Amino acid sequence: MSNKVFSFVAAIALAAVAAFAQQQPSPAPDQPQSPPVQAQPAPGQSQPAPQAQPAPASDQQQVEPMDQTPVFRVNVVERTTKAVDYRDRGGQTQVDFKGTQLAPSVEGWAHVTGRAGRLAIDVNLHHLPAPRAVGRQYLSYVLWAITPEGRSVNLGEVILDDKGNARLQVTSPLQVFGLIVTAEPYFAVTRPGDKMVAENIVRSDTQGWERTIDAKYEALQDDQYTAGMSPDQLPAGTDESTPLQMQEAENAIAIAKAAGAEQYASDTLAKAQENFAKAQDYLNRKQGNTPIGTVARAATQEAEDARLISLKKKQQEQAEAERQALEQKAQNAQSQAEAEAARAEESRLNAQREAEQRALAEQERQAAEQARQQAEQARLEAQQQAQQAEAQRQAALQQQQAAEGRAQQAEQQAQQMAEQRARLLQQLNTVLQTKDTPRGLIVNMSDVLFDLGQATLKEDAKLRLAKLSGIILTYPDLKLQINGYTDSTGTARGNQILSERRAGGVRDFLISQGLDENSVVAQGYGPADPVASNDTVAGRKQNRRVEIVLSGNAIGAAVDSAGAAH
């Protein structure tokens, strides 16, 4: 929507310059007209064909496009939606799902469990039609969380079984939100489309604070991802032998190309094509679903990145073109003003010569002088308007320079965080084995640092943890999540208690070394999340461990005080 606002402001500025040049209106094709408000179908319904007469009433409004197609075409969808302010660590509760007019048979529910710093969401959906039933370009469904302020978060892909059922287990740091399901061309989309097939319904026994809100969120029109091409031109066919992940990747690459990725994001597009070629090779050699799906989903994500990069660069190009057009208009207006001033001066001189030659009467002289004064006044007014136009151009240039400065500063900050993250990783590896993950830096403490079957730290473990504390204290912004794990031998309760004691022992020791107790959280998971087989001695030894997860803005990792999902 910012693109459209910019075009509207530019049109007003150009109109002012034209008024200065001719003092009469001139055609302004770039200036948007006030769009008539037209009713649109609710999210999840098909868009109607454009008509001259008013469309049937519904809960959306259509914004007429400008004559120059903007980079983003977005509908702001407004719906009165029930959302829940879920209780922090408030145990489990449930909301139901119901289908929209696109898929009225859909039903289901979601179990929402409050945990420290996040909500665990277990979604079950039934009777979903195949995504292609919504439109040929749709290959997948995506679960979204919508906040009262209109922010939409992609929680994950909804994958159907043969009966149209699906289950999705995810986590979210959001506290207040509603849940919807939309049909999408692939799983990696960053904004919800307008083909909504299901939304959450608050039950009478749902625990939490129910809030009736106008959930406003930006939904892309159904042709956003296929702009510049027909859905029938998408390469993914209906061959069931081709894995869904490869179909999504193939279409994502085609859509990125249609968005101009070959010109604007060739490197990122090349990576997506390379991963897709790997997936095709794995499929030909029958390497199995896991390697095929891994590289195919990577290709889809890279293709979506290439599409977004292309749209951003197009938007920048359009802004630059509009700026140059405004500058050219101002220059043309200045030239016209100078020409008019010259003509006015010539007229004055001619009048003066005629007065001298013909010895006109005093009345004629006064008339000529009055004409000269009027011409001079017109010249001064034109000069003033030219100065105003130049001031507007300078203001626009300053805004652009400020935006470039902010972008450069953000890039420098990101580079500093990356360097700081790499430096911390190197420092931690000198003490204990550490790896870099999307969750943050994970320090691994093996079982040999504890007494057998006990939570007591050995002296070597204390020495290493003391060194670790000294390193961490130089990064005051860090948050630590300490997770304890055991192997599968023994009783479940005994393993759970042992894992909690070991994690708690590490936490207590780190706090004793000066770390802020509010930045250190411990949790035991017993035999959950094994990293090796429990059928061998070596595997069980690897599974008996304590992991310290470091995160925080100082190293460019989001704070996740809850650890891994279990």
Side-chain angles (χ1 to χ4, degrees):
M1 297 299 292
S2 61
N3 217 22
K4 185 171 183 179
V5 172
F6 182 86
S7 296
F8 183 72
V9 173
I12 294 176
L14 294 181
V17 173
F20 138 71
Q22 295 294 339
Q23 296 295 321
Q24 61 183 6
S26 61
D30 292 336
Q31 184 172 358
Q33 301 297 320
S34 299
V37 178
Q38 295 183 352
Q40 293 292 307
Q45 297 181 2
S46 299
Q47 293 282 351
Q51 297 179 355
Q53 65 271 21
S58 68
D59 56 0
Q60 285 192 16
Q61 294 182 341
Q62 179 179 357
V63 178
E64 289 290 337
M66 298 179 291
D67 57 346
Q68 292 184 353
T69 303
V71 175
F72 292 99
R73 293 191 294 277
V74 177
N75 272 346
V76 176
V77 178
E78 299 185 8
R79 294 179 60 86
T80 300
T81 303
K82 295 292 186 180
V84 177
D85 187 348
Y86 294 99
R87 297 182 299 181
D88 184 32
R89 312 182 198 186
Q92 187 181 94
T93 188
Q94 178 175 331
V95 293
D96 291 338
F97 277 92
K98 75 170 183 179
T100 65
Q101 293 183 12
L102 274 181
S105 63
V106 176
E107 60 183 11
W109 63 88
H111 290 151
V112 182
T113 304
R115 294 178 178 169
R118 64 186 174 122
L119 294 175
I121 308 170
D122 186 357
V123 177
N124 287 268
L125 297 167
H126 302 288
H127 312 307
L128 279 161
R132 286 186 184 272
V134 180
R136 189 185 185 281
Q137 66 268 42
Y138 300 112
L139 297 177
S140 178
Y141 291 115
V142 172
L143 176 68
W144 301 88
I146 309 295
T147 70
E149 293 75 23
R151 180 161 61 100
S152 55
V153 178
N154 184 331
L155 294 181
E157 184 177 17
V158 178
I159 300 177
L160 306 184
D161 61 16
D162 295 338
K163 298 181 180 180
N165 301 327
R167 184 179 183 185
L168 183 63
Q169 293 177 303
V170 296
T171 61
S172 173
L174 299 178
Q175 185 73 22
V176 186
F177 56 85
L179 296 171
I180 65 170
V181 178
T182 61
E184 304 293 350
Y186 44 84
F187 73 92
V189 296
T190 54
R191 290 185 181 177
D194 60 359
K195 295 297 183 280
M196 185 173 70
V197 298
E199 61 182 341
N200 71 199
I201 300 298
V202 181
R203 297 158 50 101
S204 60
D205 58 351
T206 299
Q207 297 180 8
W209 290 273
E210 178 182 314
R211 294 172 61 178
T212 300
I213 59 175
D214 286 335
K216 300 179 181 179
Y217 58 94
E218 291 186 346
L220 298 180
Q221 295 175 346
D222 58 1
D223 62 346
Q224 169 63 38
Y225 286 98
T226 55
M229 64 187 304
S230 167
D232 294 333
Q233 294 176 306
L234 292 173
T238 58
D239 185 359
E240 296 182 356
S241 64
T242 301
L244 174 62
Q245 296 93 332
M246 291 190 61
Q247 295 185 46
E248 292 186 54
E250 189 175 16
N251 278 3
I253 291 172
I255 291 171
K257 288 181 177 179
E262 290 176 308
Q263 176 182 356
Y264 297 100
S266 57
D267 292 343
T268 306
L269 180 64
K271 293 178 182 179
Q273 292 172 321
E274 180 181 351
N275 274 324
F276 181 75
K278 288 182 181 179
Q280 186 65 54
D281 177 61
Y282 290 164
L283 179 64
N284 294 338
R285 294 191 288 118
K286 300 180 180 179
Q287 295 298 299
N289 293 332
T290 298
I292 293 173
T294 299
V295 293
R297 289 176 68 87
T300 302
Q301 181 65 64
E302 289 162 348
E304 172 68 1
D305 291 342
R307 188 187 71 83
L308 293 176
I309 292 171
S310 301
L311 294 180
K312 181 179 180 181
K313 290 185 177 180
K314 285 183 179 180
Q315 189 179 28
Q316 292 171 345
E317 284 186 354
Q318 182 175 347
E320 176 62 19
E322 290 177 349
R323 185 195 65 78
Q324 292 179 358
L326 180 61
E327 184 176 354
Q328 185 61 44
K329 290 282 187 180
Q331 292 175 354
N332 293 341
Q334 177 68 25
S335 298
Q336 291 176 1
E338 292 175 354
E340 287 188 358
R343 287 193 295 269
E345 180 65 15
E346 182 180 1
S347 176
R348 185 188 68 79
L349 293 175
N350 289 337
Q352 185 177 17
R353 283 194 298 268
E354 289 176 359
E356 292 174 353
Q357 293 172 359
R358 299 175 184 177
L360 293 177
E362 181 66 18
Q363 183 178 3
E364 293 176 338
R365 188 192 65 78
Q366 292 177 351
E369 180 65 19
Q370 184 178 6
R372 186 194 65 79
Q373 292 176 354
Q374 290 176 348
E376 180 66 15
Q377 181 65 29
R379 187 187 68 81
L380 292 176
E381 291 177 353
Q383 182 179 5
Q384 182 180 8
Q385 292 179 357
Q387 291 173 350
Q388 291 176 350
E390 176 63 18
Q392 292 175 352
R393 187 187 70 80
Q394 291 292 340
L397 181 60
Q398 291 175 0
Q399 291 178 355
Q400 179 187 1
Q401 292 174 345
E404 292 174 352
R406 290 192 296 271
Q408 183 177 7
Q409 182 180 5
E411 182 178 356
Q412 292 175 351
Q413 291 176 349
Q415 182 178 359
Q416 291 174 357
M417 287 190 293
E419 293 174 353
Q420 189 164 268
R421 184 187 186 106
R423 183 167 60 252
L424 177 58
L425 176 63
Q426 182 180 10
Q427 292 174 333
L428 295 175
N429 266 316
T430 62
V431 180
L432 287 168
Q433 181 182 0
T434 307
K435 61 183 180 179
D436 196 341
T437 74
R439 293 167 48 207
L441 302 181
I442 300 181
V443 180
N444 183 56
M445 295 182 62
S446 64
D447 180 58
V448 299
L449 300 177
F450 296 90
D451 288 330
L452 182 62
Q454 301 294 322
T456 305
L457 288 168
K458 292 184 176 181
E459 291 303 318
D460 183 39
K462 293 180 179 179
L463 177 61
R464 296 190 184 197
L465 286 175
K467 293 179 179 180
L468 200 70
S469 301
I471 295 172
I472 295 173
L473 284 171
T474 62
Y475 300 84
D477 185 43
L478 292 179
K479 302 292 183 180
L480 278 68
Q481 170 69 35
I482 304 173
N483 302 327
Y485 301 91
T486 68
D487 58 26
S488 61
T489 60
T491 65
R493 178 171 177 78
N495 286 332
Q496 179 64 31
I497 293 174
L498 179 60
S499 67
E500 292 175 353
R501 290 179 59 200
R502 285 186 170 182
V506 172
R507 177 183 183 274
D508 293 342
F509 185 82
L510 291 175
I511 292 174
S512 72
Q513 297 299 305
L515 295 186
D516 184 3
E517 63 178 355
N518 294 323
S519 66
V520 186
V521 179
Q523 180 69 50
Y525 294 102
D529 286 352
V531 296
S533 173
N534 279 304
D535 296 334
T536 65
V537 173
R540 290 192 295 273
K541 183 177 180 181
Q542 294 182 54
N543 292 332
R544 297 190 298 270
R545 68 196 189 280
V546 171
E547 292 181 350
I548 305 174
V549 184
L550 293 87
S551 59
N553 293 331
I555 59 173
V559 176
D560 181 10
S561 61
H566 298 282

